[in-house]
Amino acid sequence: GGDDQAHDEEKGRSEDDNLDECVICMEKMDGESVELRCGHEYHENCVIKWKDQGGTRCPICRREMY
């Protein structure tokens, strides 16, 4: 079998799209989160603040939020 990919739970140097933190505030993702159209997740409060500051696009991939 070739199915033994390492799944490191601790902070390594994996530049993944599956980030466990909200890139807006850099805090860990737990609790209230919202998923944008592109599939990236953020804290709901962070998205609200981001929109209040004029943000209309995903901070990660720059696609339209909604």
Side-chain angles (χ1 to χ4, degrees):
D3 255 350
D4 50 354
Q5 287 180 335
H7 288 296
D8 284 325
E9 294 294 313
E10 56 193 13
K11 274 193 193 282
R13 40 189 182 95
S14 56
E15 303 298 321
D16 234 321
D17 267 349
N18 285 346
L19 293 171
D20 254 8
E21 56 187 37
C22 170
V23 302
I24 296 176
C25 67
M26 295 305 181
E27 295 289 323
K28 201 143 179 62
M29 284 290 270
D30 42 51
E32 292 296 311
S33 72
V34 290
E35 190 175 307
L36 304 184
R37 255 167 57 187
C38 56
H40 291 119
E41 286 187 61
Y42 304 95
H43 295 121
E44 190 171 12
N45 288 340
C46 291
V47 171
I48 292 169
K49 272 187 226 163
W50 184 257
K51 282 162 60 176
D52 282 348
Q53 292 169 10
T56 59
R57 295 173 180 272
C58 172
I60 293 177
C61 68
R62 300 291 178 208
R63 284 170 69 179
E64 293 283 324
M65 277 181 149
Y66 295 108

